[in-house]
Structure formats: structure tokens, C-alpha cells
Amino acid sequence: MITNKEIVDDLNDLVKINNDRMQGYEKAIEDNEDPQLDDLFRHYVIQSQGFRSQLADHIVRIDGQAVSDATSTDVSSKLHRAWIDIKSALTGKDRDTVLSSVEFGESAAVEAYEDAIENDNIPAYIKEDLQKQLSELKASYAKIKSMTA
């Protein structure tokens, strides 16, 4: 049987993924020269802030401690590596490079959420929220992907 600590650890991993996502988009905003992309990226930063807040609420409700530092990221995660790639790729400020890098990061975020949802031990009420967040992430991924074509 899964313990609350294991659920908290899984949810904290998603908090860290959202921190990675926010940092990646903030870096993309800094290094990008396209106002249209800046607006879209700001929207995704706000989206991840909302996801993180909802995850933290679940963590607290099951007597866990949420990651308190918004800059805490999951150094071992594939997503973290994806956003690090974005940070380095953005030095050229080329729109196609920015979008391609962000698309890769979004793909990694979707995969991380899918993995978490597959965990049968996550309570249904939390899984429902994760599925809603995943749906929004998939829409974000599709939007970015459509812009790279």
C-alpha cells in the first residue's frame, strides 16, 4: 500500500516540474524578441503557477510538506534537462530555435504528468486534477507544435 509520503513525493516532483517550466518560459521571455511569443510564454508561466498552487494544496491536505522554494527544480528530471537545453538554445534569440526548444520542454512535461497519472496509487480526486492539468499541458504543447510547423 502506498503511503502519504510516497504520494507527497510524487506530487512534489510535479511541483518541481512546474518550477522548471516557469523558469524555462521566464528565460525564453528574457531572450526572445517576439512580443507575440512573450505574451504566450507569460500565459504559460501563470498556468504553471496555478498548477503548482493546486498541487501544493493537495500536498498540504494529505499532511505533507510542499516544496516551498519556487526555484527548487528536479535536477534529475528529464524536464529539467529539457529546460536547461532551452536556456542554452535561447542565446541566439531565433524564433524557430526558441519554439523548437520550448516544444521539447512541453513534451517532457506532458510525459511526466502521464507517468504520474499512470500511478494507480494516487487518489482519484488528485488524479482528476492531474488529468485536467495534463489536458491543458497537451493543449499548450499542441499550440507550440503548431507554431513550429
Side-chain angles (χ1 to χ4, degrees), residues 19-33:
N19 288 344
D20 287 333
R21 189 172 182 249
M22 288 184 300
Q23 288 178 14
Y25 277 119
E26 286 166 355
K27 179 66 175 164
I29 291 166
E30 280 176 33
D31 292 347
N32 174 48
E33 296 177 344

Side-chain angles (χ1 to χ4, degrees), residues 15-50:
V15 168
K16 292 174 186 175
I17 285 163
N18 279 289
N19 288 344
D20 287 333
R21 189 172 182 249
M22 288 184 300
Q23 288 178 14
Y25 277 119
E26 286 166 355
K27 179 66 175 164
I29 291 166
E30 280 176 33
D31 292 347
N32 174 48
E33 296 177 344
D34 184 331
Q36 177 192 10
L37 289 182
D38 287 352
D39 289 343
L40 181 63
F41 294 167
R42 278 188 195 89
H43 170 75
Y44 292 151
V45 168
I46 293 166
Q47 181 184 59
S48 271
Q49 289 169 337

Side-chain angles (χ1 to χ4, degrees), residues 17 77-83 102-115 137 141:
I17 285 163
S77 79
K78 185 189 307 184
L79 182 62
H80 179 74
R81 290 190 299 276
W83 285 115
V102 168
E103 177 186 347
F104 182 74
E106 286 297 293
S107 174
V110 165
E111 186 177 318
Y113 266 79
E114 287 173 341
D115 290 346
L137 283 171
Y141 173 70

